[in-house]
Amino acid sequence: ALPIYGAEYSSIEAARRIARIAPDSFAGELTVLPILNIGAFFQHRAFHNPSDDKNVNWVFPGDPKGTASDRLAHWLVSQAMSGMDGYIDLHGGDIVEALMPFSIYPDTHARSRELAIASGLPFASASNRKVHSYAAAVGGGIPAVLLEAGQNGLVTEEAVGLLESGVKGVMAELGMTAKANRPAKAAPRLVRMEVATAPDAGYWTCTTRPGAEVRKGDRVGTVADLIGRWEKPILAEHSGPVLYHLTSLAVNKSQALIGIAVS
């Protein structure tokens, strides 16, 4: 279990609690890395590693001869993941994100989908992105899933509890604990996430919220310049519930604004 980012604090707290699970209460070995991006943690940085200003979760499988983030990703894949039967990337909603709890698994990888379902989070999204840690794990033959709960960098008992429960559900699915002890939860909704991005840098105003149902063509927000010369509406390109949206007023060109769950 591993939080990639340094400012998604609910995931870090969940990892710390998971690390205190009694070793004699499960079979096998549980590896927990509570803070991977330690520089970002102490600088309160969303997403990026202050050592090279790269998003660590966008450089997998890494490069041993690259910059700090590349080397960190390579170490995780080549050393920390070695011998694992399952890998969990924990996320807690970063400083500029509001979201619904969800899991992500590599598309077409059946065993990873089973882990996502076992986590008990309400949405499980298939992904074909190749640069994330869960994709690197699957590339090495390890079933992998990303679990996300929380928002805006806050530590809440609800989000921490969902992530703890999600990890324990995955542990049961892997045979580390008895499945009979896993809390009964409704099956998650299997989706893919469609993301709208900013057409230009500017001032972002969101007019929806996590969990809201939107229809294709609905206005979900606007991006405007800072002195009122122009304003561009952002329209939903798909119908479905909002999984997350950017909460920052400032937005950069091509930055993700909103993610919609599409069945």
Side-chain angles (χ1 to χ4, degrees):
L2 160 72
I4 285 285
Y5 291 137
E8 298 196 358
Y9 301 124
S10 282
S11 65
I12 293 170
E13 176 60 19
R16 284 168 53 84
R17 295 185 189 184
I18 291 160
R20 295 197 288 267
I21 297 175
D24 60 359
S25 68
F26 60 86
E29 182 177 299
L30 176 64
T31 299
V32 181
L33 302 176
I35 308 173
L36 182 70
N37 195 345
I38 194 74
F41 176 76
F42 282 111
Q43 292 191 24
H44 320 295
R45 288 282 299 273
F47 307 120
H48 292 86
N49 184 344
S51 297
D52 55 12
D53 205 33
K54 288 183 178 180
N55 186 323
V56 178
N57 211 25
W58 289 5
V59 300
F60 282 88
D63 180 353
K65 298 181 179 179
T67 62
S69 295
D70 303 310
R71 297 195 302 272
L72 185 60
H74 178 265
W75 170 83
L76 182 62
V77 173
S78 63
Q79 300 296 320
M81 288 185 184
S82 179
M84 287 185 178
D85 296 307
Y87 168 79
I88 305 172
D89 180 8
L90 289 177
H91 288 251
D94 221 310
I95 293 170
V96 293
E97 293 178 328
L99 55 87
M100 289 281 290
F102 60 85
S103 63
I104 298 177
Y105 63 92
D107 194 13
T108 74
H109 197 264
R111 185 57 175 152
S112 294
R113 181 172 62 250
E114 291 171 353
L115 299 188
I117 292 170
S119 75
L121 297 182
F123 293 89
S125 177
S127 170
N128 57 14
R129 295 293 303 274
K130 304 300 183 185
V131 295
H132 299 316
S133 65
Y134 54 82
V138 166
I142 304 167
V145 64
L146 180 154
L147 307 183
E148 178 121 37
Q151 61 183 27
N152 297 124
L154 301 173
V155 179
T156 68
E157 285 300 317
E158 179 183 13
V160 173
L162 283 170
L163 293 171
E164 281 189 277
S165 177
V167 170
K168 290 175 180 177
V170 172
M171 291 174 66
E173 179 63 28
L174 291 171
M176 299 175 71
T177 59
K179 287 189 180 182
N181 296 331
R182 187 166 66 196
K185 294 185 178 182
R189 182 170 168 181
L190 299 178
V191 299
R192 71 179 189 277
M193 189 189 306
E194 297 290 348
V195 177
T197 58
D200 286 289
Y203 190 99
W204 161 241
T205 303
C206 185
T207 56
T208 187
R209 57 180 175 75
E213 290 280 344
V214 298
R215 293 175 297 177
K216 184 177 180 179
D218 284 353
R219 184 167 174 151
V220 295
T222 58
V223 174
D225 76 317
L226 300 185
I227 57 175
R229 293 175 299 180
W230 55 263
E231 181 178 280
K232 298 181 180 180
I234 304 300
L235 305 181
E237 298 179 1
H238 303 271
S239 298
V242 175
L243 280 186
Y244 83 92
H245 67 81
L246 183 73
T247 58
S248 168
L249 296 177
V251 64
N252 296 298
K253 185 175 182 179
S254 300
Q255 188 171 1
L257 297 174
I258 186 169
I260 297 172
V262 180
S263 299

